[in-house]
Amino acid sequence: MTIRVLNSGMSDGLVVAWPADGWAALESVPDDIDAKLLRAAVKGALDRETVGPRDMTSYLRGILAGQSHAELLGPLRDAVGASGVIVYRGSLLARWGDPAALEMSFSATKTYLSVVAGAAFDHDLIGDLDDPVAASVDGQEFAAPLHDQTTWAHLLHQSSEWSGTLWDKPWWADPQDGQPRNAPLGAPGSVFAYNDVRINLLALALTRLWRRPVPEVLRAEVMEPIEASSTWEWHGYRNSRVQIDGQPIEVVSGGAHWGGGLWMNAYDHARLGYLFLRRGRWRSRQILSDEWIDASTTPSPTNPDYGMLWWLNRRARVFPDAPTSGFCARGNLGRQLVWVDPARDLVVVSRWSDDVGILLAEVSRAICSTG
């Protein structure tokens, strides 16, 4: 590994290390790490590579086979293979595969929509999360009588119960939430339902709120301040465009159910995880407010294992063998993962490994000093 000394600073008695252009690697495994178990954890992640996504077209068509409205609308990127990084106390503890490769993030993309909403909240574009979206965003998607009571919190908690069609996909076309097409829907905020159509609605609302493309906002407000690369891409669908101030703007998708979504390397994912590990602070700058970090990782009223598009492991329901102190951005059953564990000063990014809970459990056990 290439070794160089990190910049360091003090914060509340904690020595905080920050990456420069890249992550500095530890010269050797620290004494408080079980090196043998760590190596076994990384080898296991490589051995459990997901079968199929190196041909993404076939992979997604297999997932969507037999479903209504299964047409792919967004661009695809073939997978490179199992890869990831482990960042411990601000330094690179381990890496495997090709962490620099861009990979489709699937539903881990949703968390980045939450980050863009957080920037809007901190800029007072969103006054209160319980405000109706219609109070600040135009469009028939939030019109009375059905949808004018949908709030930002409902969209961010996936409890909106929104019942429209967006980009030619009706809400019921996404089978993930288990809500039957003809079943009566509850009031906004009454039911948790994992649904990409409604997540795409959040992307539309944020585009109209900022009045510019969501990737542009993410880049300027978060990714450039945390010194991420410029390689990542965020895509919508071929039909997901709106007119704002007379200009056509692509609305990105919040997942990859029908293609598109966020394509990012593991190092940049780790930077986002590290930003949350450091409670929204990067070096001397507060990028996201403490208030937003807390709100993002507070259990929602309709799902105690879910915050604002972050999965929470407090009840050990997301990953039963992993620490309850962790939370994560997760896509495709964990095959795309950004894991943040403040109790261990740990960020784990894993792409295209099955049974990723095993990796988290083994890495966490390897950090001997914290149990």
Side-chain angles (χ1 to χ4, degrees):
M1 293 181 181
T2 301
I3 310 301
R4 70 188 170 101
V5 178
L6 288 169
N7 298 321
S8 297
M10 296 297 293
S11 174
D12 298 327
L14 175 70
V15 176
V16 178
W18 302 99
D21 293 337
W23 290 96
L26 292 168
E27 186 172 357
S28 60
V29 177
D31 291 340
D32 59 352
I33 301 288
D34 185 325
K36 183 177 180 180
L37 185 54
L38 178 67
R39 292 189 189 99
V42 170
K43 181 180 184 300
L46 282 166
D47 290 344
R48 293 189 300 273
E49 180 178 332
T50 304
V51 176
R54 295 194 183 211
D55 179 352
M56 188 57 67
T57 300
S58 297
Y59 183 74
L60 274 181
R61 284 178 176 167
I63 292 173
L64 296 169
Q67 296 181 16
S68 175
H69 296 270
E71 180 186 10
L72 296 174
L73 298 177
L76 307 178
R77 186 180 184 89
D78 289 344
V80 173
S83 66
V85 297
I86 299 170
V87 175
Y88 176 59
R89 295 181 177 173
S91 299
L92 189 66
L93 180 62
R95 59 189 164 196
W96 60 97
D98 185 0
L102 299 189
E103 296 281 11
M104 294 179 69
S105 300
F106 284 72
S107 284
T109 304
K110 294 174 172 59
T111 300
Y112 287 82
L113 283 177
S114 179
V115 169
V116 172
F121 180 83
D122 289 342
H123 281 278
D124 294 323
L125 297 179
I126 298 174
D128 191 300
L129 292 173
D130 291 323
D131 288 341
V133 177
S136 53
V137 170
D138 295 329
Q140 63 180 0
E141 296 84 5
F142 298 103
L146 292 178
H147 304 129
D148 59 324
Q149 296 306 305
T150 299
T151 69
W152 292 102
H154 295 152
L155 293 179
L156 288 160
H157 289 148
Q158 297 220 62
S159 63
S160 71
E161 289 288 85
W162 190 79
S163 58
T165 295
L166 189 63
W167 319 135
D168 297 331
K169 303 291 186 183
W171 71 269
W172 49 263
D174 188 338
Q176 299 171 103
D177 61 20
Q179 291 182 304
R181 174 179 179 178
N182 298 317
L185 295 174
S190 63
V191 176
F192 173 82
Y194 202 78
N195 186 293
D196 274 15
V197 176
R198 293 165 180 163
I199 284 294
N200 289 340
L201 180 68
L202 172 61
L204 173 62
L206 289 170
T207 303
R208 287 182 170 154
L209 182 70
W210 283 98
R211 309 196 70 76
R212 56 189 174 128
V214 162
E216 182 181 303
V217 175
L218 179 67
R219 191 178 303 278
E221 297 294 330
V222 179
M223 301 307 285
E224 286 183 348
I226 65 175
E227 305 165 71
S229 77
S230 60
T231 63
W232 59 272
E233 304 171 14
W234 200 345
H235 300 277
Y237 304 143
R238 61 174 177 266
N239 59 344
S240 62
R241 290 187 176 271
V242 293
Q243 291 284 327
I244 296 179
D245 300 328
Q247 298 295 319
I249 293 180
E250 182 184 62
V251 180
V252 294
S253 68
H257 200 69
W258 298 288
L262 184 67
W263 304 355
M264 188 171 281
N265 70 48
Y267 297 113
D268 286 345
H269 278 309
R271 286 176 182 266
L272 191 280
Y274 198 63
L275 177 67
F276 272 74
L277 188 69
R278 296 287 171 243
R279 295 194 55 77
R281 190 174 185 83
W282 198 267
R283 301 189 192 277
S284 61
R285 180 179 173 185
Q286 194 74 33
I287 307 299
L288 294 170
S289 65
D290 271 332
E291 185 177 2
W292 187 259
I293 301 300
D294 286 338
S296 297
T297 55
T298 295
S300 68
T302 53
N303 187 345
D305 303 317
Y306 205 66
M308 292 199 301
L309 307 182
W310 285 91
W311 287 99
L312 315 176
N313 205 42
R314 297 183 182 191
R315 303 192 306 162
R317 298 289 184 87
V318 180
F319 295 112
D321 296 324
T324 57
S325 50
F327 57 94
C328 63
R330 183 179 73 167
N332 197 7
L333 302 176
R335 296 181 179 110
Q336 305 296 321
L337 184 79
V338 183
W339 172 262
V340 181
D341 184 356
R344 289 163 178 76
D345 209 339
L346 179 70
V347 174
V348 179
V349 177
S350 174
R351 289 104 58 82
W352 296 123
S353 290
D354 289 339
D355 300 322
V356 73
I358 298 173
L359 171 69
L360 297 178
E362 291 180 345
V363 170
S364 299
R365 286 199 298 271
I367 301 176
C368 307
S369 65
T370 52

